[in-house]
């Protein structure tokens, strides 16, 4: 049994080594992804629950590797964070999203994900201001999505950054609410404009009555704090009906539209004067 145990360990070690090498290779290739124009953005609609009217879109980054094909963000974003590439990628995403949104036929809002390192970077507020000026996107159309996890590295710094971003006129949404290091005090201590309930709760609403209780509690919190609530990951009519009945204002999910090229949803002007 001892020998077998050692063999298993060696096999495990080899598999780990392989995984490490694969991450290293991906990291190396990711360094060139921007220059090689392998990154792009897709957009997922955010809609009112009662009328299904689209009020904005969340920008989601995609990496199409020349040989591997599409690499999901759940794989390459953590690698980018680990190896210090997220600042560069995050800046590209923000600039591209603002540039593209400035050309939409309708002045809908665009939501952009901000990672921990970006929020804590001393240049982030300045970069955001410059991007808004350069692209001509009105700050009121930009919403930055920030997870609670991103606040805890240095809450004091995070608060300063969020206040400065609010002064620019952009809105701040708390992303993935209810997962990770959730704390109700975060809603009071930081200047959020919106709560996004994580999709995992919505998925369980008709399976597990405790999930429904949690969603109702978050909606109650939102109403009490006068913060609009958006439900993520809405996939079925039943889920949307539940959210409507519970006065959740907005929803996002496959039922209302998958992340796709913006042209699937909107006409885009070809005016390039903003560049
Ligand atoms: P997220 O910010 O929570 O984004 C929502 C994710 O849920 C997206 O996955 C979206 O495609 C997926 N989704 C939307 N509707 C549904 C649904 O009805 N059902 C299910 N099962 N899933 C749905 P995606 O695009 O693979 O992105 C995964 C995560 O990667 C994002 O989670 C976000 O944390 C990160 N990410 C994506 N783009 C960026 C980016 O530009 N910057 C940063 N920092 N992170 C990003
Ligand atoms: Ca998000
Ligand atoms: Ca989310
Ligand atoms: Ca998420």
């Amino acid at each position: 049994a001892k020998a077998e145990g050692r063999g298993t360990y060696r096999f495990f070690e080899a598999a780990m080594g392989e995984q490490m090498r694969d991450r290293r290779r991906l990291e190396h290739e990711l360094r060139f992804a921007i220059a090689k124009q392998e990154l792009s953005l897709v957009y997922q609609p955010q809609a009112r629950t009662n009328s299904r009217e689209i009020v904005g879109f969340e920008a989601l980054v995609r990496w199409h590797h020349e040989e591997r094909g599409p690499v999901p963000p759940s794989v390459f974003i953590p690698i980018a964070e680990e190896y210090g590439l997220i600042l560069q990628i995050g800046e590209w995403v923000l600039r591209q999203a603002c540039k593209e949104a400035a050309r939409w036929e309708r002045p809908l809002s665009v939501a952009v994900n901000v990672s921990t390192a970006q929020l804590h970077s001393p240049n982030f507020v300045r970069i955001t201001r410059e991007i808004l000026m350069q692209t001509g996107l009105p700050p009121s159309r930009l919403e930055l999505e920030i997870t609670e996890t991103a606040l805890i590295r240095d809450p004091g710094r995070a608060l300063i950054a969020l206040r400065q971003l609010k002064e620019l006129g952009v809105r701040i949404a708390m992303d993935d609410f209810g997962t990770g290091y959730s704390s109700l005090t975060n809603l009071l201590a930081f200047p959020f404009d919106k709560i996004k309930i994580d999709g995992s709760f919505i998925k369980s609403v008709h399976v597990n009555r405790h999930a429904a209780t949690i969603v109702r509690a978050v909606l109650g919190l939102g109403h009490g704090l006068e913060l609009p609530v958006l439900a993520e990951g809405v996939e079925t009519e039943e889920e949307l009906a539940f959210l409507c009945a519970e006065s959740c204002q907005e929803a996002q999910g496959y039922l209302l539209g998958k992340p796709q090229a913006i042209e699937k949803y909107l006409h885009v002007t070809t005016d390039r004067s903003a560049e």
Side-chain angles (χ1 to χ4, degrees), residues 175-176 198 232:
D175 202 0
D176 298 350
D198 193 69
E232 291 194 279

Side-chain angles (χ1 to χ4, degrees), residues 259-270:
Q260 297 188 84
I262 196 66
E263 289 80 6
K264 303 264 184 199
Y265 294 110
L266 282 180
H267 289 293
V268 175
T269 67
T270 48

Side-chain angles (χ1 to χ4, degrees), residues 58 113 145 147 175-177 179 198-200 232:
E58 177 176 0
N113 293 286
E145 297 196 357
T147 62
D175 202 0
D176 298 350
F177 187 70
T179 65
D198 193 69
S200 56
E232 291 194 279

Side-chain angles (χ1 to χ4, degrees), residues 190-267:
F190 296 92
F192 286 101
D193 299 292
K194 183 188 276 188
I195 302 172
K196 295 189 77 178
I197 314 182
D198 193 69
S200 56
F201 298 103
I202 309 306
K203 220 178 280 147
S204 310
V205 148
H206 289 96
V207 184
N208 175 343
R209 70 195 160 82
H210 296 310
T213 303
I214 290 173
V215 172
R216 281 195 197 94
V218 176
L219 289 167
L221 206 58
H223 292 160
L225 296 171
E226 292 175 33
L227 290 177
V229 178
L230 178 148
E232 291 194 279
V234 177
E235 294 183 354
T236 68
E237 291 291 347
E238 289 91 329
E239 289 161 359
L240 188 64
F242 169 84
L243 293 164
C244 233
E246 299 293 337
S247 334
C248 177
Q249 294 91 337
E250 293 178 14
Q252 181 180 344
Y254 296 162
L255 178 68
L256 297 153
K258 293 202 166 176
Q260 297 188 84
I262 196 66
E263 289 80 6
K264 303 264 184 199
Y265 294 110
L266 282 180
H267 289 293

Side-chain angles (χ1 to χ4, degrees), residues 119-120 150-164 186 189-191:
L119 185 64
H120 289 83
L151 302 172
I152 58 171
R153 182 185 287 178
D154 182 347
R157 251 234 71 79
L159 181 59
I160 291 171
L162 291 187
R163 284 192 176 142
Q164 291 174 339
N186 286 340
F190 296 92

Side-chain angles (χ1 to χ4, degrees), residues 31-244:
R31 284 184 191 276
F32 302 100
I34 295 180
K36 290 167 83 177
Q37 303 191 326
E38 292 181 343
L39 298 185
S40 62
L41 296 181
V42 287
Y43 293 90
Q44 184 172 38
Q46 302 182 322
R48 285 195 218 289
T49 51
N50 47 18
S51 62
R52 303 194 187 199
E53 181 199 353
I54 294 177
V55 292
F57 290 91
E58 177 176 0
L60 294 156
V61 68
R62 293 292 178 262
W63 179 17
H64 195 95
H65 187 280
E66 58 178 349
E67 285 134 29
R68 296 171 194 264
V71 182
S74 56
V75 171
F76 75 82
I77 294 288
I79 292 177
E81 284 172 343
E82 183 178 348
Y83 294 99
L85 300 172
I86 195 66
L87 289 182
Q88 202 194 340
I89 291 173
E91 184 176 338
W92 181 87
V93 167
L94 184 60
R95 176 168 282 112
Q96 192 67 20
C98 291
K99 202 194 274 184
E100 292 184 9
R103 296 205 202 117
W104 295 349
E105 60 172 346
R106 286 189 286 149
L108 301 177
S109 68
V110 61
V112 176
N113 293 286
V114 174
S115 70
T116 310
Q118 282 178 283
L119 185 64
H120 289 83
S121 154
N123 300 321
F124 183 62
V125 176
R126 177 181 57 76
I127 288 169
T128 303
R129 186 191 304 114
E130 284 172 6
I131 287 175
L132 287 167
M133 275 165 45
Q134 289 161 1
T135 60
L137 186 77
S140 59
R141 288 183 55 198
L142 178 63
E143 187 163 277
L144 299 176
E145 297 196 357
I146 289 161
T147 62
E148 294 183 285
T149 316
L151 302 172
I152 58 171
R153 182 185 287 178
D154 182 347
R157 251 234 71 79
L159 181 59
I160 291 171
L162 291 187
R163 284 192 176 142
Q164 291 174 339
L165 289 165
K166 298 266 306 190
E167 272 168 33
L168 296 182
V170 310
R171 279 168 296 129
I172 314 287
M174 178 179 278
D175 202 0
D176 298 350
F177 187 70
T179 65
Y181 303 84
S182 220
S183 157
L184 300 184
T185 45
N186 286 340
L187 284 176
L188 294 176
F190 296 92
F192 286 101
D193 299 292
K194 183 188 276 188
I195 302 172
K196 295 189 77 178
I197 314 182
D198 193 69
S200 56
F201 298 103
I202 309 306
K203 220 178 280 147
S204 310
V205 148
H206 289 96
V207 184
N208 175 343
R209 70 195 160 82
H210 296 310
T213 303
I214 290 173
V215 172
R216 281 195 197 94
V218 176
L219 289 167
L221 206 58
H223 292 160
L225 296 171
E226 292 175 33
L227 290 177
V229 178
L230 178 148
E232 291 194 279
V234 177
E235 294 183 354
T236 68
E237 291 291 347
E238 289 91 329
E239 289 161 359
L240 188 64
F242 169 84
L243 293 164
C244 233

